[in-house]
Amino acid sequence: MVKQTIQIFARVKPTVRKQQQGIYSIDEDEKLTPSLEITLPRDLADGFVNNKRENYKFKFQRIFDQNANQETIFENIAKPVAESVLAGYNGTIFAYGQTGSGKTFTITGGAERYSDRGIIPRTLSYIFEQLQKDSGKIYTTHISYLEIYNECGYDLLDPRHEASSLEDLPKVTILEDPDQNIHLKNLSLHQATTEEEALNLLFLGDTNRMIAETPMNQASTRSHCIFTIHLSSKEPGSATVRHAKLHLVDLAGSERVAKTGVGGQLLTEAKYINLSLHYLEQVIIALSEKHRSHIPYRNSMMTSVLRDSLGGNCMTTMIATLSLEKRNIYESISTCRFAQRVALIKNEAVLNEEVDPRLMIIHLQKEIQELKDELAIVTGEQRTEALTEAERLQ
């Protein structure tokens, strides 16, 4: 069992305009935890005395500044999680931040350059590369891609997606077994034997995502998307199977409706996005308080699906994406505050091993036959299945 808190990282989005100096500074001392200091610019235009708090300091495992490339992000954040998944532990990486701060770019990547690939394609490449090197075990890989749009779940890998509208597609529903394990009905699992097959599934899912243009972002993701890699491995001849899941989560961005001034469908989407992020925060606050007996996982679909990732059997990592421009400074502070709360949650990851019942049955049947043969040699008579009268009475 591995006990560890949720790892938190910060990534600063490159600004479009030349940034005015002094909004933030990164302090990366060798001996201390890296910290990000945000300084509120003082607007002295009104001539009033300004007694508001001026600077905020937040600690992260590591902070990636504007010039950090996708390769660095993968090596430092996603690679350790992918390694633990190959070892048989569950893993989750999720990106959180306001709309337009670079969550989708970090998780999925940009479409313009090959070097802009995000965490999902790089993780798939890494996992399949490792599977090819390890010829001692038999691996099977399955992929699922879930979208949560306006609190309804949809399967992004459903082949009927292109032909029909969202309302006509079967909704993914949550079922719970007596052991409180979550099962998703109508979510398909697709086997991927090569990296190419897995990437094709990713691209198919990405084309089916809900995207809209908002005042903050030209291609804003309007839904939460959870890309899951299911990995199972076993050694030839062994009855023990290891299962591991890796959730790569791209959350939809929170936004202040009063600030963006959206209406109609965009407003409905924003309400659902903000509500589900509010429920996520409620779960995180409840988990960070020591004496809470009830954790409100069932409030939203997303917190139900990610139950294991939050305070359960999983190694979880969070990336806080920050857009540190003057107009977004309060949203950035609120993202950092959220990350500090997330860092208080302890997860207990367990090695997911189980005995395959089918292999066990074959093994036991073989053993019974061998014992029967031995008995026949000793007694000199072949046993039949039926019991004698004396044995029955006994």
Side-chain angles (χ1 to χ4, degrees):
M1 184 190 288
V2 181
K3 281 188 183 182
Q4 65 169 28
T5 54
I6 294 182
Q7 307 289 298
I8 55 165
F9 296 88
R11 185 181 194 183
V12 182
K13 182 186 177 180
T15 49
V16 183
R17 297 185 290 281
K18 187 77 188 98
Q19 185 64 23
Q20 58 200 57
Q21 290 306 309
I23 280 196
Y24 75 99
S25 61
I26 295 170
D27 178 18
E28 288 199 291
D29 193 342
E30 292 286 313
K31 299 175 188 124
L32 300 166
T33 322
S35 65
L36 172 76
E37 190 164 354
I38 298 175
T39 310
L40 292 179
R42 283 194 95 154
D43 292 334
L44 302 170
D46 300 336
F48 295 117
V49 176
N50 182 354
N51 287 330
K52 281 185 182 172
R53 183 174 168 186
E54 278 185 17
N55 58 343
Y56 297 82
K57 206 167 189 178
F58 300 104
K59 290 193 161 142
F60 289 92
Q61 248 85 31
R62 183 138 177 219
I63 300 153
F64 298 93
D65 208 353
Q66 302 186 18
N67 51 9
N69 60 12
Q70 298 280 62
E71 175 83 28
T72 316
I73 296 287
F74 170 74
E75 289 291 327
N76 290 284
I77 298 176
K79 199 174 173 182
V81 181
E83 281 166 356
S84 66
V85 169
L86 288 163
Y89 294 95
N90 291 340
T92 299
I93 300 170
F94 71 96
Y96 178 92
Q98 74 174 108
T99 183
S101 61
K103 294 180 299 300
T104 304
F105 182 78
T106 302
I107 295 287
T108 316
E112 280 154 33
R113 286 189 298 275
Y114 183 69
S115 60
D116 281 351
R117 287 172 307 143
I119 284 175
I120 300 180
R122 285 173 192 272
T123 305
L124 287 170
S125 300
Y126 177 75
I127 285 176
F128 281 103
E129 192 183 306
Q130 295 305 310
L131 298 191
Q132 279 181 332
K133 284 181 190 169
D134 186 6
S135 53
K137 287 185 185 150
I138 301 161
Y139 287 96
T140 48
T141 314
H142 288 83
I143 306 275
S144 68
Y145 207 171
L146 169 71
E147 171 179 61
I148 301 170
Y149 175 69
N150 292 356
E151 264 315 292
C152 295
Y154 297 99
D155 180 8
L156 283 174
L157 302 178
D158 192 326
R160 291 165 292 185
H161 235 296
E162 279 137 38
S164 53
S165 65
L166 261 189
E167 291 76 42
D168 303 336
L169 289 168
K171 288 185 175 63
V172 174
T173 49
I174 293 175
L175 304 172
E176 214 174 294
D177 65 16
D179 299 331
Q180 305 240 316
N181 294 320
I182 295 289
H183 300 278
L184 297 167
K185 190 183 169 190
N186 291 334
L187 183 67
S188 57
L189 272 181
H190 296 256
Q191 189 166 358
T193 48
T194 61
E195 183 193 334
E196 192 184 349
E197 281 179 25
L199 287 173
N200 284 343
L201 289 167
L202 168 65
F203 298 145
L204 170 69
D206 280 346
T207 51
N208 293 334
R209 279 168 82 164
M210 285 303 290
I211 290 172
E213 188 174 332
T214 66
M216 296 286 285
N217 187 356
Q218 278 197 316
S220 173
T221 314
R222 309 305 288 164
S223 59
H224 308 296
C225 295
I226 303 171
F227 184 86
T228 310
I229 304 164
H230 303 259
L231 200 65
S232 59
S233 64
K234 73 173 181 59
E235 288 176 5
S238 162
T240 311
V241 185
R242 275 187 188 177
H243 295 288
K245 282 184 302 198
L246 174 57
H247 292 304
L248 299 163
V249 187
D250 180 16
L251 297 177
S254 57
E255 60 190 87
R256 291 186 175 174
V257 176
K259 186 173 166 182
T260 54
V262 293
Q265 185 60 26
L266 286 178
L267 177 63
T268 310
E269 290 168 353
K271 283 193 292 195
Y272 276 110
I273 290 168
N274 290 347
L275 184 66
S276 62
L277 291 173
H278 165 69
Y279 285 139
L280 174 66
E281 188 154 11
Q282 276 190 345
V283 166
I284 280 159
I285 290 169
L287 284 165
S288 58
E289 288 174 2
K290 287 221 168 70
H291 306 294
R292 281 288 283 267
S293 56
H294 172 66
I295 312 292
Y297 287 118
R298 290 199 185 98
N299 279 356
S300 79
M301 184 168 186
M302 185 177 58
T303 49
S304 298
V305 175
L306 296 178
R307 180 187 285 191
D308 265 354
S309 312
L310 304 166
N313 168 23
C314 193
M315 288 181 170
T316 305
T317 297
M318 170 189 164
I319 308 164
T321 56
L322 308 167
S323 171
L324 285 168
E325 291 182 32
K326 195 173 167 185
R327 62 191 176 132
N328 297 332
I329 202 114
Y330 287 107
E331 283 89 338
S332 299
I333 290 168
S334 121
T335 301
C336 290
R337 279 186 178 143
F338 179 79
Q340 305 304 300
R341 284 199 201 107
V342 169
L344 299 171
I345 298 174
K346 280 196 175 73
N347 279 1
E348 291 183 6
V350 191
L351 195 62
N352 302 303
E353 281 189 332
E354 63 177 31
V355 176
D356 188 342
R358 287 170 305 176
L359 289 171
M360 203 65 197
I361 289 165
I362 294 165
H363 178 70
L364 290 171
Q365 280 175 337
K366 194 176 164 193
E367 200 174 317
I368 288 167
Q369 191 55 50
E370 282 169 4
L371 290 168
K372 276 183 179 175
D373 295 345
E374 269 181 46
L375 202 61
I377 291 163
V378 173
T379 57
E381 58 185 60
Q382 193 71 34
R383 283 292 310 203
T384 57
E385 289 299 315
L387 296 173
T388 61
E389 196 64 39
E391 282 173 332
R392 270 211 199 96
L393 287 167
Q394 189 185 339

